[in-house]
Amino acid sequence: ANKLKNLIYPTYEEITLDLENQLANLDGGYEKLTTAMSKQGEQWHREIDIVVNKMKTEISEMKVKHRDLLKKHLDEIKQTQALIKQTLLAIEEIKKSTEVSPTIEYSSKIREFSKLPPKLKITLPTFIPKPLDHKKLNRLFGQITPLSTATEENVLSLNQPNTSVRELLDEPELIATIQTGYQNVFSVTYLNEDCVWTFGSTKDIKCFNMKGELLHTVSNKSEQPPSDIAVDSDGNLLFCDWKSRTVNKVNNGQTEELIRLQGLVPGNLCVTSNGDLLVTMVSDDVTQSRVVRYSGSTEKQTIQFDDKGKPLYSGNDYFKYITENRNYDICVADYEAGAVVVVNQDGKLRWRYIGHPSVTKKEPFHSIGITTDSQSRILTADPGNHCIHILDQDGQFLRYIDNCDLEYPCGLCVDNNDNLFVSEVKKGNVKKIKFLR
């Protein structure tokens, strides 16, 4: 019965959740495909418009030249015609005259006017369209990969314990300390086994290895510190710039704008298991906060109110760090409200956590950094009490991490081996902590 309850049923539940998530994101995936194709089409239209406009300019220039040539030739012909008329009038006057001298002085113009001007014929230019090679056109435009279906066999051994279950250490262990050089370091996000990105009180976002060596620096163009950072599934750095109201991606050292807000200021962000972005933001008048889900640059979902129409999040510009749990719950650390607010993937409120009664924790609970581990536990920083709260996926308090000389913990993230990284906001350090067996 224990194996059925603790091993077999949870596996079915995990498979069900995965399939439901695939179904929930089906439309979004195909929308992304259609959007990519439309963007390619728009790019082609722009390039074709450039070619057409260039040709139109050339035609306009030809037309002006054509007109000038015809007018010049016409003016020359008319001048000669006028001279012929004058000559004919002069001849008539001589005929009428009884004097001999005009006749003697007259010089015939026949030879001069007999040399006729050439007939000018300027042929209009023509457009010769090239025949469309549809096969070549399709190859140049791009292609859609065929639908790929992969079935992964689930093998369940009833004779072995579930080795994926990892218990909490009785005493978390400090593994490493990275000195970032920031006066205040606000956040940390995991890049790979040896590297983390951090940001603090300057415009620079820094990448360090576990030896504390600075590997990369990205500077925010607005000359201000970002409001949060994350890493996408391709390893690209993402960051929110509150000054320019943008969410940006750094790819091969180049910063590109993904999202630009109007009437709202981006705060914190995270990347979900399916590659979406979750961004917390606040209105310009600093009264309304919300979470918005994006697929690329396309807005898919807004989470702001509960079923009774009440705001889920406090209306202010304080930190609201955000993460997605393994069960697709969306977890927000609402600092000013002193609460962890958790909704399901549809945006329905599941629970709030407002701290745990303790005789040793004297300061009011203010949740700031937030992350989750492989067991769907939620970890949130409590800087005033110099500790980290660990909760289960249903919001039940499990324990504190309050050793490792923690001081004012702020940003949190977990690597693929469930090691915890903590930024100590007032010391400028990032600590790597082992907290699971």
Side-chain angles (χ1 to χ4, degrees):
N2 284 337
K3 285 178 179 176
L4 187 64
K5 178 182 177 182
N6 298 324
L7 185 59
I8 297 174
Y9 184 77
T11 303
Y12 274 88
E13 194 173 42
E14 184 180 335
I15 295 168
T16 300
L17 280 170
D18 180 64
L19 288 170
E20 287 175 348
N21 188 52
Q22 289 186 54
L23 281 169
N25 292 293
L26 189 68
D27 289 341
Y30 278 92
E31 282 175 14
K32 189 184 287 187
L33 176 66
T34 304
T35 300
M37 213 162 46
S38 297
K39 282 184 178 178
Q40 177 75 331
E42 289 167 5
Q43 180 65 28
W44 275 44
H45 280 298
R46 284 194 292 271
E47 294 298 328
I48 290 169
D49 285 343
I50 290 169
V51 172
V52 170
N53 289 331
K54 185 180 178 184
M55 285 187 170
K56 284 181 177 179
T57 302
E58 289 176 4
I59 290 170
S60 296
E61 290 171 353
M62 285 182 187
K63 183 179 175 182
V64 170
K65 187 176 180 181
H66 194 155
R67 180 181 282 110
D68 289 346
L69 284 170
L70 288 173
K71 287 177 74 175
K72 182 181 177 184
H73 198 62
L74 180 61
D75 288 345
E76 289 173 354
I77 299 295
K78 285 184 175 181
Q79 285 176 9
T80 305
Q81 278 182 303
L83 288 173
I84 292 171
K85 280 185 178 181
Q86 287 178 6
T87 302
L88 288 171
L89 288 171
I91 291 170
E92 288 298 321
E93 290 296 324
I94 291 170
K95 284 181 180 180
K96 292 176 183 178
S97 175
T98 57
E99 296 181 13
V100 176
S101 59
T103 305
I104 296 170
E105 292 172 0
Y106 172 73
S107 175
S108 176
K109 304 285 186 179
I110 295 296
R111 187 182 295 274
E112 180 183 342
F113 294 136
S114 294
K115 190 179 178 181
L116 297 174
K119 273 189 177 182
L120 185 64
K121 184 67 175 178
I122 302 175
T123 306
L124 284 169
T126 57
F127 173 66
I128 305 171
K130 288 190 176 181
L132 288 175
D133 185 337
H134 293 287
K135 289 184 179 178
K136 188 176 180 180
L137 198 64
N138 286 336
R139 286 197 303 272
L140 289 171
F141 188 79
Q143 62 180 18
I144 300 171
T145 58
L147 197 65
S148 174
T149 305
T151 305
E152 184 180 334
E153 186 177 356
N154 274 295
V155 179
L156 191 67
S157 174
L158 299 178
N159 298 320
Q160 294 180 356
N162 185 359
T163 55
S164 66
V165 174
R166 300 190 63 185
E167 300 297 333
L168 297 168
L169 280 175
D170 293 332
E171 191 78 8
E173 301 169 6
L174 178 62
I175 299 173
T177 300
I178 300 169
Q179 295 178 340
T180 65
Y182 294 115
Q183 184 175 354
N184 303 110
V185 58
F186 299 119
S187 191
V188 58
T189 191
Y190 172 73
L191 176 60
N192 57 42
E193 289 181 6
D194 192 47
C195 303
V196 291
W197 282 101
T198 65
F199 83 89
S201 47
T202 73
K203 65 178 181 179
D204 294 330
I205 307 169
K206 301 178 184 179
C207 182
F208 293 92
N209 63 19
M210 292 305 102
K211 296 177 183 177
E213 297 169 335
L214 179 63
L215 303 180
H216 306 288
T217 300
V218 172
S219 294
N220 188 4
K221 291 179 182 178
S222 72
E223 303 292 320
Q224 296 293 327
S227 53
D228 202 8
I229 57 175
V231 171
D232 67 15
S233 57
D234 296 322
N236 298 313
L237 174 68
L238 308 173
F239 67 92
C240 288
D241 181 4
W242 60 270
K243 185 74 179 290
S244 64
R245 304 168 183 264
T246 57
V247 178
N248 304 278
K249 178 168 78 170
V250 181
N251 186 6
N252 294 323
Q254 299 298 313
T255 301
E256 59 182 270
E257 182 181 300
L258 290 179
I259 300 161
R260 178 174 288 271
L261 301 178
Q262 292 184 344
L264 295 160
V265 179
N268 299 88
L269 81 163
C270 73
V271 179
T272 68
S273 56
N274 72 341
D276 286 347
L277 286 181
L278 293 172
V279 184
T280 66
M281 55 189 72
V282 64
S283 57
D284 279 350
D285 61 3
V286 200
T287 60
Q288 298 183 54
S289 298
R290 67 191 69 177
V291 171
V292 179
R293 182 189 295 269
Y294 291 90
S295 175
S297 301
T298 305
E299 185 176 325
K300 290 175 62 178
Q301 179 187 25
T302 298
I303 302 167
Q304 186 173 0
F305 303 104
D306 63 17
D307 288 338
K308 296 179 181 178
K310 294 182 179 179
L312 288 165
Y313 314 108
S314 60
N316 50 68
D317 56 1
Y318 284 91
F319 287 117
K320 291 180 179 65
Y321 283 90
I322 186 169
T323 192
E324 183 192 55
N325 207 346
R326 299 302 192 278
N327 62 354
Y328 313 116
D329 281 353
I330 299 165
C331 312
V332 172
D334 192 336
Y335 179 84
E336 184 66 9
V340 173
V341 183
V342 175
V343 301
N344 65 19
Q345 62 182 338
D346 296 322
K348 304 296 183 184
L349 180 64
R350 284 200 62 218
W351 50 266
R352 291 177 189 268
Y353 172 78
I354 56 172
H356 182 70
S358 169
V359 294
T360 59
K361 314 303 177 193
K362 304 294 186 182
E363 297 297 321
F365 172 65
H366 284 285
S367 177
I368 188 162
I370 193 164
T371 191
T372 62
D373 68 8
S374 63
Q375 312 299 302
S376 296
R377 301 185 189 100
I378 298 164
L379 296 89
T380 188
D382 181 359
N385 290 300
H386 309 291
C387 69
I388 294 163
H389 299 232
I390 304 179
L391 319 174
D392 69 15
Q393 67 180 16
D394 296 315
Q396 297 302 308
F397 175 82
L398 299 176
R399 61 158 295 166
Y400 295 112
I401 298 176
D402 52 6
N403 62 333
C404 301
D405 293 322
L406 279 179
E407 289 186 38
Y408 299 102
C410 184
L412 304 179
C413 72
V414 169
D415 68 14
N416 292 337
N417 295 314
D418 278 322
N419 293 304
L420 175 66
F421 292 86
V422 185
S423 67
E424 293 182 302
V425 65
K426 293 191 176 182
K427 293 177 73 175
N429 294 336
V430 169
K431 287 183 173 177
K432 182 179 181 180
I433 297 172
K434 180 181 179 181
F435 71 102
L436 298 184
R437 297 184 192 281

